[in-house]
Amino acid sequence: MTPETTQSVSQHSVSDVASGHDAHAHGHAPTGLMRWLLTTNHKEIGTLYMLFSLLMLFIGGTMALVIRAELFQPGLQYVQPEFFNQMTTMHGLIMVFGAIMPAFVGLANWMIPLQVGAPDMALPRLNNFSFWLLPVAFTTLLATLFMEGGGPNFGWTFYAPLSTTYAPPSTNFFILSIHLAGISSILGAINIIATILNLRTPGMRLMDMSLFVWTWLITAFLLIAVMPVLAGVVTMMLLDINFGTSFFDAAGGGDPVLFQHLFWFFGHPEVYIMILPAFGIVSLIVPAFARKRLFGYASMVYATASIAILSFVVWAHHMFTVGLPLTAELFFMYSTMLIAVPTGVKVFNWIATLFRGSISFETPMLFSLGFIVMFTIGGLSGVMLAIVPADFQYHDTYFVVAHFHYVLVPGALFAIMAAAYYWMPKWTGHYANETLGKWHFWLSVIGVNLTFFPMHFSGLAGMPRRIPDYALQFADFNMLSSIGGFLFGFSQLIFVWVVIKAVRGGVKAPAKAWEGAEGLEWAVPSPAPLHTFDTPPEFVPERDSPSRHSDH
């Protein structure tokens, strides 16, 4: 969308929005706690998702700091190996299912109706229900730490037979929490698809939508496709543990490798569920601060769809060491390398957008540029892991931990931070504090690289993942990683202070907070009123617009 598009929102609808249609629809609405428990407003539910995600980020991050404190030097320092295993498992589960995914769903709830000109999400009550499943799910998961035998201790991928034959009694509660989180994701995805396909403002075709909306549409289909697979595999675990079946028990005729096939058939598309919305965010922010149109919009859409389709045919690259036939190893090696092509298209298009742009380096742009550089590093180590004979060396070492975290921390998490700084004027009516934002960015960049870059080398030197103690030759790398981990963790407190300051006051933002920003969300006042677009905004696609700016 271009500035012409933004300007084509009817003045009638904007004045409607600004003039207090809130009371019109919800004059009798509950207040206080009940307001938040019962809300069906997409902005409030989006806010709840993001606050929940922030809480989970700090809980999961605290667990990461327990891990890094233990690994600061060789020998057992602070926690027992059993508790260390619980921390590694819970950290992964909480960060993936409790922090990254709900943050993206929160951004979708807040922004998709604004970007497509919809009054709300298509299924508001379902929206409320899908959010409130999450606190129940994660309270259940965290409660396992206080049960007899402790919490899950078998890694966030919960491989059988560790999670079935040798699991603590609390595993049944873990399975319940995974089911609840999965139901929440499926319902959220159905709602997003229904909203995008049915509630776009008249005149907006699919290829007129912002890339954030496009990436979420594709992500939602991925969620609906793979979440039932996860539900199936944890149900099979439940039956193995409690009802005497032997799906994954070799002694009873089952196969532990079957668990890995099922888990990774879910798990690999899941990785893209956590990164595709990030691609959409960066594809909005880079053009806004380069003051140019996005290079290759259509190719970005097709690349996103290609990544989603290919993500279903690469799962066994996580399993090269289980004894796959050679033909299967070759197939999965080449299909994994193939997925680098559409990803490379995206990186190329972002760089082409930046080329000869009038770039300014506000905080959202800094996080987006950090994303591009460090996500690319994660992508390159992913290509290394795709090579079968090399993967035999890397598998289950800290090299994999480094790769995974480069994709998810400066990847997904940096994109979420970029989105928060970019849309905070629309959410709160105030710009985020730029000085604090830049401190947050640079401390995060230094912390992330100090934490995870040395892990490549400790992994190449042979250090296995998920161990509470290690040989002396890994000591220096681990000390660096632990220092970086604490720096990165504590620098996130700056972000909390930034959010509090922006909510309480600061530099007031106009409706269009950023000069180069495009999209319908910038046509409504800042902060966005509780109810927007009572009248669908008029939308004139860029291709039909009578005039074009020379710099666009």
Side-chain angles (χ1 to χ4, degrees):
M1 268 184 281
T2 60
E4 294 88 0
T5 307
T6 307
Q7 289 157 8
S8 70
V9 178
S10 68
Q11 288 307 306
H12 170 60
S13 66
V14 175
S15 60
D16 273 359
V17 162
S19 66
H21 269 253
D22 316 0
H24 151 77
H26 284 256
H28 56 280
T31 55
L33 180 64
M34 294 310 289
R35 170 189 167 185
W36 293 98
L37 280 172
L38 303 176
T39 181
T40 53
N41 183 281
H42 73 98
K43 299 182 184 76
E44 291 181 338
I45 293 172
T47 302
L48 286 170
Y49 267 110
M50 287 188 281
L51 291 173
F52 175 81
S53 154
L54 191 61
L55 175 65
M56 289 296 117
L57 179 74
F58 280 100
I59 292 174
T62 303
M63 294 171 175
L65 296 187
V66 172
I67 296 165
R68 287 314 328 166
E70 181 57 55
L71 295 175
F72 184 72
Q73 58 192 88
L76 294 177
Q77 318 293 330
Y78 303 108
V79 296
Q80 292 302 310
E82 177 69 10
F83 186 72
F84 183 90
N85 291 344
Q86 292 174 37
M87 288 292 98
T88 54
T89 304
M90 295 288 268
H91 165 72
L93 290 168
I94 285 169
M95 287 305 204
V96 168
F97 297 108
I100 299 295
M101 288 174 67
F104 280 132
V105 178
L107 290 168
N109 262 292
W110 238 104
M111 301 315 302
I112 286 175
L114 289 179
Q115 293 194 337
V116 300
D120 206 308
M121 296 294 278
L123 306 160
R125 288 185 180 84
L126 190 74
N127 205 10
N128 175 285
F129 180 62
S130 56
F131 170 73
W132 285 109
L133 283 170
L134 282 180
V136 177
F138 284 91
T139 303
T140 306
L141 183 61
L142 288 165
T144 60
L145 288 171
F146 305 98
M147 294 177 189
E148 185 185 352
N153 58 1
F154 30 68
W156 81 272
T157 51
F158 43 98
Y159 279 5
L162 290 176
S163 59
T164 51
T165 311
Y166 307 107
S170 64
T171 303
N172 291 327
F173 291 93
F174 154 79
I175 290 170
L176 173 64
S177 71
I178 291 291
H179 269 304
L180 291 173
I183 293 166
S184 169
S185 293
I186 291 169
L187 297 180
I190 290 169
N191 208 347
I192 286 165
I193 291 168
T195 304
I196 295 170
L197 296 185
N198 296 314
L199 295 186
R200 295 194 309 282
T201 194
M204 181 183 285
R205 302 194 311 198
L206 287 174
M207 292 304 280
D208 297 322
M209 300 190 310
S210 91
L211 264 164
F212 179 65
V213 178
W214 253 118
T215 51
W216 245 117
L217 179 63
I218 292 166
T219 300
F221 279 109
L222 280 180
L223 277 165
I224 289 173
V226 300
M227 277 300 171
V229 179
L230 180 67
V233 77
V234 294
T235 304
M236 291 159 84
M237 281 173 59
L238 191 74
L239 295 173
D240 271 13
I241 292 167
N242 298 290
F243 298 101
T245 57
S246 296
F247 291 112
F248 309 128
D249 183 4
D255 185 358
V257 175
L258 171 64
F259 178 94
Q260 295 191 31
H261 278 292
L262 291 171
F263 179 85
W264 286 116
F265 188 79
F266 147 78
H268 203 79
E270 165 67 16
V271 172
Y272 290 99
I273 286 164
M274 290 188 287
I275 203 67
L276 290 182
F279 291 164
I281 290 163
V282 172
S283 300
L284 291 183
I285 294 174
V286 166
F289 293 96
R291 292 164 180 79
K292 281 176 64 183
R293 288 180 62 203
L294 180 71
F295 181 89
Y297 169 91
S299 65
M300 290 291 249
V301 173
Y302 300 139
T304 306
S306 305
I307 289 169
I309 293 162
L310 286 169
S311 73
F312 285 102
V313 293
V314 297
W315 79 88
H317 68 216
H318 299 271
M319 301 168 54
F320 285 151
T321 59
V322 303
L324 294 175
L326 183 62
T327 48
E329 290 185 336
L330 285 170
F331 171 80
F332 286 107
M333 176 169 82
Y334 290 130
S335 61
T336 303
M337 289 181 167
L338 188 62
I339 212 165
V341 175
T343 312
V345 166
K346 288 181 169 296
V347 175
F348 172 82
N349 284 9
W350 291 322
I351 293 169
T353 306
L354 291 166
F355 181 63
R356 299 180 74 175
S358 177
I359 302 171
S360 60
F361 295 99
E362 286 89 349
T363 309
M365 185 62 155
L366 289 175
F367 273 101
S368 298
L369 294 175
F371 167 94
I372 293 169
V373 172
M374 287 178 281
F375 174 78
T376 304
I377 293 171
L380 292 172
S381 61
V383 175
M384 293 170 70
L385 287 160
I387 303 165
V388 174
D391 184 73
F392 274 57
Q393 176 71 23
Y394 308 140
H395 188 79
D396 259 348
T397 71
Y398 260 79
F399 188 86
V400 179
V401 180
H403 156 72
F404 186 67
H405 284 85
Y406 261 93
V407 173
L408 279 187
V409 182
L413 188 62
F414 269 35
I416 291 164
M417 293 297 181
Y421 283 101
Y422 182 60
W423 282 315
M424 209 174 290
K426 189 56 60 189
W427 299 340
T428 66
H430 304 109
Y431 286 100
N433 184 299
E434 271 296 312
T435 307
L436 286 174
K438 286 184 167 65
W439 271 101
H440 177 213
F441 170 74
W442 285 111
L443 288 173
S444 294
V445 166
I446 295 164
V448 156
N449 286 293
L450 196 55
T451 307
F452 300 113
F453 207 78
M455 289 182 186
H456 291 102
F457 302 112
S458 46
L460 289 172
M463 180 173 166
R465 65 201 289 194
R466 296 180 188 154
I467 54 169
D469 190 12
Y470 52 85
L472 197 58
Q473 74 252 33
F474 306 125
D476 292 346
F477 287 136
N478 273 287
M479 184 176 285
L480 284 174
S481 287
S482 291
I483 293 167
F486 276 87
L487 174 63
F488 178 73
F490 282 100
S491 61
Q492 302 321 299
L493 294 170
I494 300 173
F495 177 67
V496 176
W497 182 232
V498 167
V499 172
I500 292 168
K501 279 177 71 74
V503 169
R504 287 167 57 179
V507 179
K508 284 206 175 299
K512 186 173 178 180
W514 310 103
E515 182 193 333
E518 301 174 0
L520 289 179
E521 73 263 38
W522 303 110
V524 301
S526 300
L530 192 63
H531 298 283
T532 39
F533 301 132
D534 290 320
T535 308
E538 290 171 20
F539 177 84
V540 180
E542 204 279 338
R543 60 180 182 277
D544 301 333
S545 180
S547 64
R548 294 187 180 205
H549 289 298
S550 58
D551 60 338
H552 285 265

